[in-house]
Amino acid sequence: MKRGFIAIFLLIFYLMGSVQGAEGPGGPSGSTGGGSSGGSAGASTTTSSGGKKIVKLELEDLIGNMEKWKQSDPEKFDYLKKLLYIPFVPPKDYSTPTALIWYPNSTEKAEITRNEKLDIYAWVKNENPIEVRSDVYLYLEAKGPGDENFTRVGSQRVILANEYVGSSNSTTRDWSGLTPFVDSREVGNATFRIWFNDMHSTYLTDTMYDKPYRQGDFFNILELSLVNSPPLVVGESIKVEPARARYNDPIRYSAGFVDTDGDMVNVTLHVLDDQGGILRNLTQEVKSGTNVTFSATEYGLFGEADAGRNFSYRFSYDDGLDGNATGVYPGPSLLPSPKIFVSDPHVEAADENRYWWQSYRFSLRVKNPEVDNLRIDLYTSTPSHPKRYQATREINASEEAQVVIFDLQPFDVSDADESFSYYFKYSATDQNSKEEMGGTSDGKINPKIVRYPIYSMVTIGNLLVVLLAALAGGIVIERRLYR
Amino acid sequence: MSDLNETVAAVQAVDISSGLASEGVSSFLAGIYSNGLLGVGLFILLLAGGVLLHRLNMDRTYRNVAATTRDGEVSPEDLREEMFTRQGSNFNAAAVVAWMLLFAAFAYFYFLTPEIFPGHNYYQMPTLSSGPLGFAAFGLFVLLLAGLAAAFIPRELYGYYELSRKTKVAIMLTVPVLALSIALSVQQGTIFPEVDPATRGLAFLALFGSEVALLFPVYAEARGGMR
């Protein structure tokens, strides 16, 4: 600033001399205001006083002349600049301020992540007397892994001459909450330095000192290690719902991802066809700790032609630095289009006693207009025999509804006094997109366990067999061992 | 008139008291036969007692003989050989049959229906018990197991005692009695889940009465020896 005022003052002084010289013949060429009289805005004003002409130079006029000279005679203009330039010479006893990086708790925080907010300070000491001090302008500069040059991070900080505190003549400026490497694609060394200018010279803290400086949490150059933790998938959160659905049902893939560094996670869903080939890849970016959801309807994943096919999927995920992939999960299984119409599952015991040894009549009404050799299996379930296969019937296509009947003895003695359920399983998809239909018994199976009364030939025969066997055994043993 | 009233009252009192007594006996019996652990324990206790007393009887006899022997010692084996008495083929055959049927009747009584041991009974083998020959298969299986023991028990228990004719008859009569017990147990199975207490009690008495009869010579000898 001082230099600017001095230059303007000298220029005015010089121009005044030129103007005075213009009174004679042949004034300096290019002077626009030299011979004008009477004031008008933007021009020199000439007045007479005591026989002398006094020219008052307007600032606008001066600037206009300077611009004109610069264009018309650049060599002389440069010469003029040399004449007017007076280099600043600091006082003899001026000492350069000391600037260091202050990074509190540097030992614990030597490793940083991309999303970690850094609090870095500039500590500046200026031992010059206040009248000698000049303003100091500072920038924090950082060089991340893989970077060739430092770049400025954060905004400029300024220390005025009167802002140094106490007897230490030092002060600090902070850059809080910095995340200079948030977009870094590498891990490794992260280096910080301070650029500063004290109105006399520009300095870089990594080069201005003879040797590296580190004392406690104060550094001339701060070197940290940028590290990264790969994102993780929450295993149990991986699912596709519903796992069995029609092709146009709202099928949703979802999974939860966590990145301990708080990085955003790029998640790609790979939809695999029934041969394991990749059908589609869909990508979303999610925050750590949240679930990503891909809606099949939104992306138009499945069409009518996919009905009846079994798909699978897997996720791959990364945070820009490290990535991983899940295993292959089955689903969804798309239900085939309905082929048959079933109704009225029914069971009836041979009589109201409902003994376990009786025949039971199971029936199902089936309308099967197009499937030949439609296979229908009957299963019963009791506590002793869960999901017990009983029999199979096959029917051919017919325009008329058919009643499929199973007349059989499905139980044994261990099922006595138990309730039971039953279901028909068929080899085509019904109107409910299912392949089975069933029901439960109205009541329990009779608790009676023996089919034959005491007076029946079967029971008597059993008793006789036992008694005769004992008798025969006794005779044989007596003959063999007692004689 | 007052005499008549007193007589009627006395007769009624006797009827009531006898009814109460029979009812008490029935409930006591039911308490025993429906308690599986008690019944099985009692059955084993009687058997174990018989074996123990038989051993004591033999030891006592040996000591008595040894005390009266002047010219030297008699070995237990020699004494056993000398003491052994043949009881006759018919009796031996009947005794073997009776012992086999005893174990069969025991199994039919306690392990045929789920009533006493719900988790351990013949119906835990549904494939076998659902068939028409299930009862016979169950009985034959038990006879096969019991036959090994029954083959030697009569020889040991009855070969060293003097058995009266009545005792022999009693032992031989256990065969039909045990057959009755088995039949009654099977009858209980056929009406399950209903229970006929009279039939059940009778089967129980037939079973344990037969066991007592079969072990009677041992217990009687022990009682005589103690006297």
Side-chain angles (χ1 to χ4, degrees):
Chain A
M1 289 295 286
K2 287 177 182 175
R3 281 186 296 179
F5 283 122
I6 292 168
I8 292 168
F9 175 77
L10 290 173
L11 183 64
I12 293 168
F13 182 78
Y14 170 78
L15 290 173
M16 284 178 70
S18 300
V19 169
Q20 281 176 339
E23 287 175 350
S29 62
S31 171
T32 55
S36 65
S37 64
S40 67
S44 306
T45 305
T46 307
T47 57
S48 298
S49 177
K52 286 186 178 179
K53 282 185 180 176
I54 298 171
V55 177
K56 188 178 180 182
L57 186 65
E58 294 290 333
L59 180 61
E60 296 295 328
D61 192 34
L62 175 62
I63 292 171
N65 280 330
M66 295 289 281
E67 287 173 346
K68 192 170 181 180
W69 296 340
K70 186 178 179 180
Q71 295 287 331
S72 61
D73 197 347
E75 289 182 7
K76 283 187 177 175
F77 182 80
D78 286 340
Y79 178 67
L80 177 61
K81 280 203 299 185
K82 281 182 182 175
L83 287 177
L84 296 179
Y85 175 69
I86 301 172
F88 176 82
V89 178
K92 281 183 186 174
D93 53 353
Y94 181 82
S95 62
T96 306
T98 302
L100 292 171
I101 297 171
W102 176 34
Y103 184 53
N105 302 317
S106 59
T107 308
E108 292 92 52
K109 297 191 291 186
E111 289 190 342
I112 59 170
T113 60
R114 293 183 299 176
N115 283 299
E116 192 168 333
K117 290 186 175 177
L118 304 177
D119 293 328
I120 296 176
Y121 302 81
W123 178 85
V124 179
K125 184 170 187 174
N126 194 337
E127 294 181 311
N128 296 300
I130 190 166
E131 61 273 14
V132 179
R133 289 176 191 165
S134 51
D135 301 343
V136 176
Y137 300 85
L138 306 107
Y139 280 104
L140 181 66
E141 295 186 338
K143 186 168 76 170
D147 293 343
E148 292 186 359
N149 300 311
F150 282 89
T151 54
R152 286 179 176 174
V153 294
S155 55
Q156 187 189 58
R157 299 288 185 266
V158 180
I159 304 172
L160 302 179
N162 61 348
E163 288 186 322
Y164 297 90
V165 292
S167 58
S168 66
N169 292 318
S170 64
T171 189
T172 59
R173 288 294 180 270
D174 76 294
W175 288 276
S176 298
L178 290 177
T179 54
F181 309 114
V182 70
D183 296 321
S184 178
R185 289 289 176 265
E186 290 183 38
V187 294
N189 286 337
T191 309
F192 293 86
R193 71 182 181 187
I194 291 173
W195 175 103
F196 75 95
N197 180 290
D198 64 350
M199 303 291 294
H200 310 313
S201 293
T202 297
Y203 304 94
L204 295 167
T205 57
D206 61 334
T207 56
M208 66 182 289
Y209 302 104
D210 294 337
K211 55 185 179 181
Y213 180 87
R214 175 179 181 169
Q215 190 72 45
D217 294 330
F218 295 88
F219 307 81
N220 70 318
I221 180 166
L222 175 62
E223 291 188 332
L224 303 175
S225 181
L226 181 65
V227 297
N228 183 63
S229 299
L232 301 170
V233 64
V234 182
E236 58 270 24
S237 67
I238 301 171
K239 59 189 171 187
V240 57
E241 290 181 328
R244 282 173 59 82
R246 294 187 185 89
Y247 72 89
N248 54 356
D249 280 346
I251 299 166
R252 295 161 74 87
Y253 297 86
S254 61
F257 295 89
V258 175
D259 188 290
T260 52
D261 301 336
D263 296 333
M264 293 291 283
V265 183
N266 288 306
V267 181
T268 301
L269 167 68
H270 308 276
V271 181
L272 312 177
D273 61 21
D274 37 13
Q275 304 299 318
I278 292 180
L279 193 70
R280 289 279 296 275
N281 291 328
L282 308 169
T283 300
Q284 285 187 30
E285 192 176 48
V286 290
K287 275 185 173 180
S288 169
T290 60
N291 276 18
V292 63
T293 302
F294 295 91
S295 167
T297 311
E298 182 184 338
Y299 291 99
L301 285 179
F302 306 116
E304 189 173 3
D306 295 320
R309 295 177 66 188
N310 296 317
F311 294 86
S312 55
Y313 65 99
R314 65 184 172 88
F315 289 99
S316 61
Y317 50 97
D318 68 82
D319 62 0
L321 290 175
D322 296 303
N324 209 337
T326 68
V328 176
Y329 290 83
S333 293
L334 297 185
L335 296 167
S337 302
K339 302 286 185 188
I340 60 173
F341 299 86
V342 294
S343 60
D344 302 332
H346 187 65
V347 62
E348 192 174 359
D351 64 41
E352 69 276 8
N353 287 320
R354 302 166 68 89
Y355 296 123
W356 65 261
W357 59 81
Q358 287 183 313
S359 288
Y360 288 72
R361 187 185 180 90
F362 297 86
S363 61
L364 179 70
R365 189 178 182 82
V366 182
K367 186 168 186 184
N368 172 26
E370 57 180 298
V371 183
D372 277 333
N373 300 320
L374 175 70
R375 181 187 166 95
I376 301 174
D377 301 328
L378 171 65
Y379 291 82
T380 57
S381 277
T382 61
S384 300
H385 301 293
K387 297 182 179 176
R388 188 182 202 182
Y389 167 75
Q390 294 292 348
T392 297
R393 301 280 184 272
E394 283 192 1
I395 60 171
N396 288 323
S398 168
E399 287 303 316
E400 297 296 320
Q402 307 172 63
V403 178
V404 180
I405 294 172
F406 297 78
D407 205 348
L408 40 80
Q409 293 178 348
F411 306 118
D412 67 23
V413 66
S414 62
D415 299 321
D417 202 25
E418 299 287 358
S419 298
F420 70 93
S421 61
Y422 61 97
Y423 61 94
F424 303 93
K425 202 168 182 177
Y426 24 83
S427 58
T429 308
D430 67 11
Q431 73 277 11
N432 300 315
S433 292
K434 292 183 176 176
E435 290 165 1
E436 63 181 50
M437 175 177 273
T440 53
S441 63
D442 295 334
K444 284 186 170 183
I445 299 168
N446 196 302
K448 196 169 168 59
I449 57 177
V450 178
R451 178 177 182 175
Y452 309 101
I454 186 68
Y455 50 79
S456 74
M457 289 308 294
V458 172
T459 311
I460 293 170
N462 275 268
L463 278 172
L464 284 177
V465 166
V466 175
L467 295 176
L468 290 174
L471 196 61
I475 292 169
V476 169
I477 289 170
E478 194 278 330
R479 286 183 175 250
R480 292 290 172 94
L481 300 178
Y482 283 74
R483 293 191 180 183
Chain B
M1 189 66 184
S2 63
D3 290 343
L4 182 62
N5 287 341
E6 284 176 4
T7 305
V8 170
V11 168
Q12 285 177 341
V14 168
D15 286 348
I16 291 169
S17 62
S18 65
L20 286 173
S22 65
E23 197 174 312
V25 169
S26 299
S27 63
F28 173 73
L29 195 61
I32 294 174
Y33 71 64
S34 59
N35 189 326
L37 289 178
L38 180 64
V40 172
L42 187 62
F43 186 84
I44 293 171
L45 192 67
L46 282 173
L47 278 181
V51 171
L52 183 67
L53 289 177
H54 172 63
R55 189 176 180 87
L56 290 175
N57 291 340
M58 295 298 288
D59 287 348
R60 190 178 64 244
T61 305
Y62 174 71
R63 284 196 305 273
N64 291 340
V65 171
T68 57
T69 304
R70 293 179 182 174
D71 297 331
E73 293 185 358
V74 176
S75 71
E77 289 74 25
D78 292 342
L79 181 63
R80 281 175 62 86
E81 199 172 322
E82 289 298 323
M83 283 177 66
F84 186 75
T85 309
R86 295 188 183 279
Q87 302 290 0
S89 298
N90 291 340
F91 174 78
N92 285 338
V96 172
V97 173
W99 276 96
M100 290 172 77
L101 289 179
L102 178 71
F103 290 115
F106 172 73
Y108 272 102
F109 189 86
Y110 284 108
F111 299 101
L112 185 68
T113 63
E115 180 191 350
I116 296 176
F117 293 111
H120 302 86
N121 57 74
Y122 160 70
Y123 293 101
Q124 300 302 308
M125 297 177 287
T127 308
L128 177 69
S129 53
S130 299
L133 293 176
F135 282 141
F138 179 64
L140 293 175
F141 176 71
V142 176
L143 287 180
L144 199 65
L145 291 180
L148 296 173
F152 299 100
I153 289 174
R155 184 186 186 90
E156 183 65 29
L157 287 189
Y158 307 135
Y160 300 100
Y161 298 96
E162 283 187 16
L163 302 180
S164 67
R165 185 177 179 78
K166 282 183 181 176
T167 305
K168 284 187 175 178
V169 169
I171 289 172
M172 292 171 76
L173 275 177
T174 57
V175 172
V177 173
L178 287 167
L180 177 69
S181 176
I182 291 172
L184 293 175
S185 293
V186 169
Q187 195 266 340
Q188 285 294 303
T190 60
I191 64 171
F192 184 85
E194 292 176 23
V195 176
D196 182 355
T199 311
R200 194 106 180 110
L202 192 57
F204 178 82
L205 289 176
L207 172 64
F208 281 89
S210 297
E211 186 181 13
V212 169
L214 291 171
L215 291 168
F216 177 75
V218 180
Y219 282 94
E221 176 65 24
R223 185 164 164 261
M226 280 189 283
R227 274 198 307 229

